[in-house]
């Protein structure tokens, strides 16, 4: 971390509640040091009721920029001056940059997912058929990234069906070229429709700490299909273990976490972080998980 702080040091940070678990300070500070940039990245715990005051405070303090994490990604939208097209479409912000008195909200989650799918799975999104688990903010970012990258169809499967319907309805006009549909979560239980899925993505927190969806059976999926889990702790989630049992290419969300961080870093500093640095720092911090557990399983 940059310990040579002066009056000129640029302040970056992350707001969330809680935020103590965040690995962003680690990877962002590593990139600042590696490039010799005079910035420091600080975690700021901000309770939901203090969000407005915190944003005003960060504005008044003249910070260069900050990340936004759970539970503020959607609530912060109305507190900013400018939104990027991506953030407006997704309806959530994970990166804010100050330019003069104005705060611009951006979303690097969609780009982070697409980068990770390409780098970690070598997945060709154009024309693909995707099954998305979940209908929250992470699913919104995923659908925007996937449709912009040319996915042919996206089926949204969610525990609460109404929420999946609403999500699909929100994006039908923006992405009229893609076939958007909904399904019950039961599709995971060996449904024959899995045969026509090229990519299964979990955007929910199910998998965290080893939690699992009921009765998952991915046996019908085609041998060339891929599985991506945004969860990365444990590295081998139950969903990824099922993918591995079926010899499907799969990856966890470490690559997305790193890639959204790389995009945020470039947005703030105008510099590209060293290739692979953020991801390697994350993997080291996640407890010496071996490459097998973080990279494509069946390659
Ligand atoms: P995020 O911004 O990370 O997407 P979110 O907006 O709170 O978080 O959305 C969480 C998603 O995970 C939702 O789709 C939620 O399903 P519901 O709409 O039914 O609440 C899904 N989710 C959370 N816990 C789940 C569980 N135990 N089983 C299935 N889905 C779950």
């Amino acid at each position: 971390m940059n310990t040579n702080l002066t009056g000129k040091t640029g302040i970056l940070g992350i707001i969330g509640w809680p935020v103590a678990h965040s690995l962003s300070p680690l990877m962002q500070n590593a990139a600042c040091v590696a490039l010799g940039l005079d910035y420091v990245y600080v975690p700021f715990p901000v309770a939901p009721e203090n969000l407005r005051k915190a944003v005003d405070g960060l504005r008044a303090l003249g910070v260069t920029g900050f990340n936004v994490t759970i539970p503020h990604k959607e609530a912060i939208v109305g507190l900013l001056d400018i939104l990027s097209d991506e953030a407006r479409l997704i309806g959530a912000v994970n990166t804010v940059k100050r330019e003069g008195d104005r705060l611009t909200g951006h979303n690097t989650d969609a780009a982070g997912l697409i980068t990770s799918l390409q780098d970690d799975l070598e997945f060709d999104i154009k024309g693909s058929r995707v099954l998305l688990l979940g209908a929250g903010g992470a699913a919104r970012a995923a659908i925007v990234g996937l449709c912009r990258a040319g996915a042919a169809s996206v089926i949204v499967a969610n525990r609460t069906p109404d929420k999946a319907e609403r999500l699909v309805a929100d994006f039908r006009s923006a992405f009229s070229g893609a076939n958007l549909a909904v399904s019950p979560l039961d599709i995971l239980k060996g449904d024959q429709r899995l045969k026509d899925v090229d990519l299964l993505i979990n955007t929910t927190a199910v998998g965290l700490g080893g939690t699992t969806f009921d009765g998952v059976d991915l046996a019908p999926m085609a041998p060339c299909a891929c599985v991506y889990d945004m969860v990365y702790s444990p590295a081998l989630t139950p969903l990824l273990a099922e993918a591995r049992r079926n010899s499907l290419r799969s990856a966890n969300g470490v690559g997305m976490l790193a890639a959204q961080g790389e995009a945020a870093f470039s947005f703030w500093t105008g510099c590209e972080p060293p290739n692979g640095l953020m991801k390697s720092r994350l993997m080291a911090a996640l407890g010496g998980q071996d490459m097998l557990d973080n990279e494509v399983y069946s390659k």
Side-chain angles (χ1 to χ4, degrees):
M1 197 179 83
N2 179 4
T3 51
N4 190 21
L5 305 186
T6 70
K8 293 183 187 155
T9 303
I11 310 295
L12 299 168
I14 179 166
I15 60 172
W17 187 260
V19 80
H21 65 285
S22 173
L23 295 172
S24 291
L26 177 85
M27 65 177 182
Q28 295 289 351
N29 281 315
C32 294
V33 170
L35 293 183
L37 298 181
D38 189 14
Y39 289 98
V40 65
Y41 186 103
V42 188
F44 297 111
V46 174
E49 63 273 22
N50 289 331
L51 180 62
R52 179 181 289 274
K53 281 189 272 180
V55 171
D56 286 346
L58 290 164
R59 195 195 292 268
L61 291 168
V63 302
T64 303
F66 55 95
N67 281 130
V68 183
T69 189
I70 290 167
H72 303 313
K73 287 185 182 187
E74 287 161 40
I76 200 171
V77 166
L79 302 176
L80 303 173
D81 305 301
I82 305 169
L83 290 180
S84 68
D85 287 351
E86 197 102 327
R88 191 186 308 278
L89 198 54
I90 295 169
V93 162
N94 78 330
T95 305
V96 176
K97 181 178 174 182
R98 186 181 59 82
E99 283 155 314
D101 284 344
R102 303 205 297 183
L103 296 179
T104 298
H106 185 39
N107 192 307
T108 66
D109 285 334
L113 171 65
I114 299 308
T115 299
S116 182
L117 290 174
Q118 287 164 343
D119 291 356
D120 298 331
L121 290 175
E122 293 172 14
F123 186 78
D124 185 7
I125 297 159
K126 207 162 179 51
S128 63
R129 300 161 299 175
V130 183
L131 172 59
L132 208 56
L133 308 180
R140 295 180 69 89
I143 219 168
V144 168
L146 291 163
C147 289
R148 286 196 154 173
S153 66
V154 181
I155 298 174
V156 179
N158 195 47
R159 179 178 60 182
T160 310
D162 287 1
K163 214 164 144 191
E165 292 281 4
R166 277 201 300 278
L167 181 143
V168 162
D170 279 354
F171 288 113
R172 273 225 170 89
S173 64
F175 298 119
S176 53
N179 185 9
L180 304 183
V182 301
S183 157
L185 263 185
D186 277 2
I187 191 171
L188 288 176
K189 297 179 179 173
D191 192 295
Q192 289 307 301
R193 283 181 298 164
L194 290 173
K195 277 187 181 146
D196 299 321
V197 170
D198 302 312
L199 172 65
L200 167 62
I201 304 179
N202 175 37
T203 75
T204 77
V206 177
L208 206 62
T211 54
T212 180
F213 292 103
D214 278 348
V216 178
D217 173 7
L218 302 183
M221 289 183 79
C224 57
C226 292
V227 178
Y228 191 88
D229 199 334
M230 287 190 189
V231 175
Y232 50 81
S233 183
L236 183 63
T237 65
L239 185 69
L240 294 176
E242 172 64 8
R244 188 186 268 192
R245 268 192 294 279
N246 288 281
S247 304
L248 303 172
R249 274 192 300 167
S250 59
N252 70 23
V254 167
M256 177 178 169
L257 179 62
Q260 63 76 33
E262 289 171 348
F265 184 90
S266 305
F267 185 58
W268 296 317
T269 67
C271 301
E272 296 291 320
N275 197 16
L277 175 80
M278 289 194 182
K279 189 172 179 189
S280 64
R281 290 300 169 96
L282 288 176
M283 284 165 59
L286 286 166
Q289 295 169 351
D290 64 21
M291 291 298 285
L292 241 193
D293 276 354
N294 281 288
E295 297 295 331
V296 179
Y297 295 127
S298 62
K299 270 177 139 185

